[in-house]
Amino acid sequence: MLNIFSFLKLISIIMANKKINKSIPKPAIQNNSSKPLDKRLSPKKFSINFKLALVLGLISFIVYANTLRNGFVLDDKSVISDNTIVTKGISAIPEILATPYRKGFFVTSNDLYRPLSLVMLASEYQFFKLNPAPYHFFNILLFAAGVILLFFFLDQLFERKKPVLAFIASLLFAVHPIHTEVVANIKSHDELLCFLFAFLSLNVFIKYLNSGKIFHLLIGFFCFSLSLFSKETVISFLGVIILVFFFYRNENKKRSAYISAVSLV
């Protein structure tokens, strides 16, 4: 998955920073209400965050716009041009959902199950055939969307008090050269979808932590499931979920336990 170890390191730094902040005495605030705190953004702050997110998306797109001229290389052929199932187009979706990952290219006893990326590639093939530019366009779009979701997640993780820090961290992630192979390789629809839905699930889980609405918990479960159907490496995110909801955003242990439970399921 996209530089998961760097993200884990970022989480550890955040946790260390929280411990330092906890050691500083704070004035007691009387709160007689048992209702959860209102975490909603003011219209002005929402507008600023939305603009920051758009800037990140635009930068992500510009950084990888040069890949639009690239063709099919290496593993791209195994999932698109030389894949006998994907090249059937949309009609192949039921077959994709019922077969291993590599069946359309070659058969192996030790295969994987990553249907979501193949469904997307088959849908793209239906409209664009073997024109590589649209496939690269969608790769860039998925990456840009993932960076935006990373920003929104970090902003929520900091309880919307440090949007500049969330922006800088997301910007460094967006332009880091370690992601070049993933974004430039069409086959990596699986990596990008995995990343996208993993961070979408984290964003929704934080909403559940704040609101306690079961609807958010179920949507988070659904998004995390889609991430697993994209690529199995998201299993490492179980560690991220525990770090986030038991060691950093741990104000409600019961809700944190529910988030971990649905993720394990």
Side-chain angles (χ1 to χ4, degrees), residues 29-38:
I29 300 174
Q30 188 174 0
N31 184 5
N32 297 323
S33 174
S34 58
K35 296 181 180 179
L37 293 174
D38 189 354

Side-chain angles (χ1 to χ4, degrees), residues 60-61 63 80 115 144 186-188:
S60 301
F61 198 92
V63 167
I80 308 168
I186 295 170
K187 173 265 167 194
S188 294

Side-chain angles (χ1 to χ4, degrees), residues 60-98:
S60 301
F61 198 92
I62 291 172
V63 167
Y64 288 102
N66 62 330
T67 64
L68 292 170
R69 300 173 295 177
N70 295 352
F72 298 107
V73 296
L74 301 175
D75 291 341
D76 293 347
K77 297 179 180 180
S78 69
V79 297
I80 308 168
S81 57
D82 295 343
N83 192 299
T84 58
I85 298 178
V86 170
T87 50
K88 293 178 184 177
I90 292 175
S91 63
I93 290 177
E95 187 177 1
I96 289 171
L97 295 173

Side-chain angles (χ1 to χ4, degrees), residues 160-177:
R160 298 186 171 125
K161 296 175 182 177
K162 302 177 181 178
V164 175
L165 181 59
F167 176 82
I168 292 172
S170 303
L171 178 62
L172 290 174
F173 185 90
V175 301
H176 200 294

Side-chain angles (χ1 to χ4, degrees), residues 68 124 127-128 130-139 186 189:
L68 292 170
E124 291 169 35
F127 298 99
F128 309 115
L130 292 178
N131 177 11
Y135 297 90
H136 285 292
F137 173 81
F138 283 112
N139 249 30
I186 295 170
H189 269 36

Side-chain angles (χ1 to χ4, degrees), residues 5 8 20 23 35 60 63 71 76-77 88 100 109 146 159 164 178 188 191 196 204 237 248 253 263:
F5 298 107
L8 286 170
I20 293 171
S23 65
K35 296 181 180 179
S60 301
V63 167
D76 293 347
K77 297 179 180 180
K88 293 178 184 177
S109 59
E159 300 180 55
V164 175
I178 200 171
S188 294
E191 294 269 9
L196 179 76
V204 179
F237 243 63
Y248 189 76
K253 294 290 195 302
S263 301

Side-chain angles (χ1 to χ4, degrees), residues 12 18 31 50 58-59 90 101 103 109 124:
S12 66
K18 186 183 180 186
N31 184 5
F50 184 73
L58 184 61
I59 291 173
I90 292 175
Y101 181 65
K103 187 179 179 182
S109 59
E124 291 169 35

